[in-house]
Amino acid sequence: MANDFLPLATKGVQGLSPYQPGKPVAELERELGLKNIIKLASNENPLGPSPMATRVIAANLAGLARYPDGNGFGLRKKLAVKLGVAEEQITLGNGSNDILELIGRAFLMPGHEAIYSRHSFAVYPLVVQASGATAVVTTAKNWGNDLDAMLAAVSEATRLLFLANPNNPTGTWVDASSMQGFLEQLPENIIVVLDEAYFEYVTEPDYPDGLTLLKDFPNVIVTRTFSKAYGMAGLRVGYSISNNSIADILNRVRQPFNVNSLALAAAEAALDDVAFIEKSKKINQTGMAQLTNAFDKMGLSYIPSVANFVAVKAGQDSMALSATNVYEKLLRSGVIVRPVANYDMPDYLRITVGTEQENEKFIAALKQVLLSK
Ligand SMILES: *Cc1c(COP(=O)(O)O)cnc(C)c1O
């Protein structure tokens, strides 16, 4: 065994394979000898963060010797007012990913089962596996969550269910009445994680705001983040809204200072910049139309999305190119997108909506790649 300590790790950890993040732009530019690479791979806001957030960060630098407020008092208070919930219902995380981990640690152990759909967010399997619980992966319906399949998957051992609305990487969504009917049929002792990482982007009138479900369904935990529409993925701030009892449980497993002081201050400031979110939504809507119009013209099929990304079928047989080939050729022309083979979607690439110029550059590069096979 010498230097191999894996046999000493817990069973759950032995079976894990680490999350594969996209390569940073700077590293890729060095590798490929290119400049001005554009990254449309991680569903980040192409506008960056709100200037109100960056100003506050600069102003708070001198306080870095101090520990952050471990209760995140200011941010929780502000979120509570904005969302119309009690402060006690809010749990802050180092990104909403942290919250997903806390939920797994609090509610799962070997012998338990957790349900999530095929083609759903890659962090769910990691959380379940790490806890030693068993993942029950349901079939997808039109690429999205199949609520009937999820209900059918419930067993005595089920403790947790993950449902991203909208879902990443497909951009599919569940409407309000379907969600209501689903939660009514689900046993109330199963914790439902309603992952609303892309909440701010959705404009569909039938889209259910998870917060409205909390009163009737106290087993629901809504998770949201400052990483996507708020443009602060690098700072790592997310949160959940749940009933007080669940929030109290999550608080027991949370590290004391899980959100850093700059992130707390910046998130608070970002909440004031309503115009920034409106602008981000607008750019996303026009950018989404720009991308899907181009796909239509090129005869490429894609999964209709309500989020800030779209999965396009880039590896049709008729093109004699696999999606991986297309991904690699796009890289060499300076555009990073996201292959989603690890989501069981080997023919697709996920494209984050960028600025108009970024989208244009991507479309031009894609045309070039597909025509020059
Ligand atoms: C991006 C994303 C998250 C979490 O991101 P954080 O940066 O950890 O807040 C959670 N769920 C889904 C579905 C996502 O796409």
Side-chain angles (χ1 to χ4, degrees):
M1 126 154 181
N3 279 319
D4 181 10
F5 293 91
L6 193 58
L8 299 182
T10 63
K11 256 220 160 59
V13 171
Q14 286 183 20
L16 283 176
S17 25
Y19 179 86
Q20 295 292 346
K23 271 190 194 173
V25 172
E27 190 181 327
L28 217 72
E29 289 184 338
R30 246 179 291 124
E31 261 182 41
L32 299 173
L34 292 172
K35 279 212 179 87
N36 305 319
I37 287 185
I38 61 166
K39 184 183 176 206
L40 303 176
S42 300
N43 303 342
E44 296 146 341
N45 187 331
L47 298 180
S50 154
M52 283 163 76
T54 48
R55 271 199 296 276
V56 159
I57 289 175
N60 277 269
L61 286 175
L64 279 181
R66 306 281 177 201
Y67 278 99
D69 172 4
N71 289 316
F73 179 77
L75 179 56
R76 282 170 63 231
K77 185 170 172 161
K78 205 152 176 178
L79 277 170
V81 171
K82 185 182 169 82
L83 303 174
V85 300
E87 285 159 50
E88 299 74 39
Q89 294 181 263
I90 295 173
T91 307
L92 299 181
N94 197 259
S96 56
N97 199 138
D98 186 26
I99 303 277
L100 301 176
E101 298 275 350
L102 298 182
I103 296 169
R105 199 169 326 143
F107 291 105
L108 291 179
M109 64 176 208
H112 289 167
E113 291 177 1
I115 298 172
Y116 54 82
S117 174
R118 197 175 169 206
H119 318 302
S120 62
F121 188 42
V123 167
Y124 309 152
L126 294 179
V127 167
V128 178
Q129 172 82 43
S131 71
T134 303
V136 177
V137 185
T138 51
T139 52
K141 188 172 166 188
N142 298 327
W143 298 101
N145 289 286
D146 182 341
L147 303 181
D148 292 329
M150 288 180 141
L151 288 173
V154 169
S155 81
E156 286 292 312
T158 311
R159 291 295 186 282
L160 208 59
L161 185 148
F162 292 98
L163 201 167
N165 197 34
N167 185 48
N168 173 19
T170 58
T172 51
W173 61 291
V174 173
D175 66 52
S177 71
S178 307
M179 185 70 82
Q180 176 83 22
F182 171 68
L183 292 172
E184 280 167 3
Q185 290 175 74
L186 198 73
E188 60 193 12
N189 63 339
I190 296 176
I191 305 282
V192 179
V193 181
L194 205 52
D195 183 340
E196 296 186 340
Y198 301 94
F199 171 82
E200 294 83 1
Y201 281 115
V202 185
T203 56
E204 307 296 318
D206 291 345
Y207 173 69
D209 174 341
L211 298 185
T212 63
L213 297 164
L214 288 177
K215 199 150 39 87
D216 287 341
F217 305 103
N219 53 326
V220 167
I221 308 176
V222 176
T223 61
R224 292 191 188 162
T225 182
F226 285 89
S227 297
K228 306 287 158 61
Y230 283 93
M232 301 185 352
L235 273 180
R236 316 301 304 129
V237 201
Y239 57 98
S240 65
I241 312 101
S242 65
N243 87 14
N244 295 3
S245 165
I246 290 179
D248 168 62
I249 293 165
L250 298 183
N251 199 36
R252 294 175 191 213
V253 289
R254 187 179 64 83
Q255 320 175 19
F257 304 105
N258 63 333
V259 185
N260 73 74
S261 52
L262 298 182
L264 288 171
E268 239 187 272
L271 286 176
D272 288 332
D273 201 346
V274 180
F276 175 81
I277 294 294
E278 282 311 309
K279 186 174 167 194
S280 302
K281 276 174 82 164
K282 267 222 178 79
I283 284 195
N284 188 60
Q285 275 172 290
T286 49
M288 181 65 85
Q290 190 186 358
L291 291 177
T292 53
N293 286 339
F295 296 153
D296 286 336
K297 281 197 192 127
M298 297 166 80
L300 296 176
S301 72
Y302 55 88
I303 304 171
S305 166
V306 298
N308 68 336
F309 56 84
V310 56
V312 61
K313 190 169 178 187
Q316 279 160 320
D317 290 344
S318 58
M319 290 167 189
L321 277 177
S322 70
T324 313
N325 294 147
V326 175
Y327 161 72
E328 282 164 358
K329 287 176 183 242
L330 284 172
L331 264 191
R332 263 174 252 124
S333 39
V335 182
I336 315 175
V337 298
R338 183 62 146 240
V340 280
N342 60 325
Y343 288 93
D344 239 347
M345 301 170 68
D347 292 343
Y348 282 77
L349 295 175
R350 190 192 66 195
I351 320 298
T352 302
V353 177
T355 60
E356 187 182 349
Q357 293 87 328
E358 288 173 333
N359 299 333
E360 211 43 67
K361 181 171 173 184
F362 158 72
I363 291 165
L366 183 64
K367 279 184 185 153
Q368 186 82 37
V369 166
L370 296 181
L371 289 178
S372 69
K373 61 175 173 229

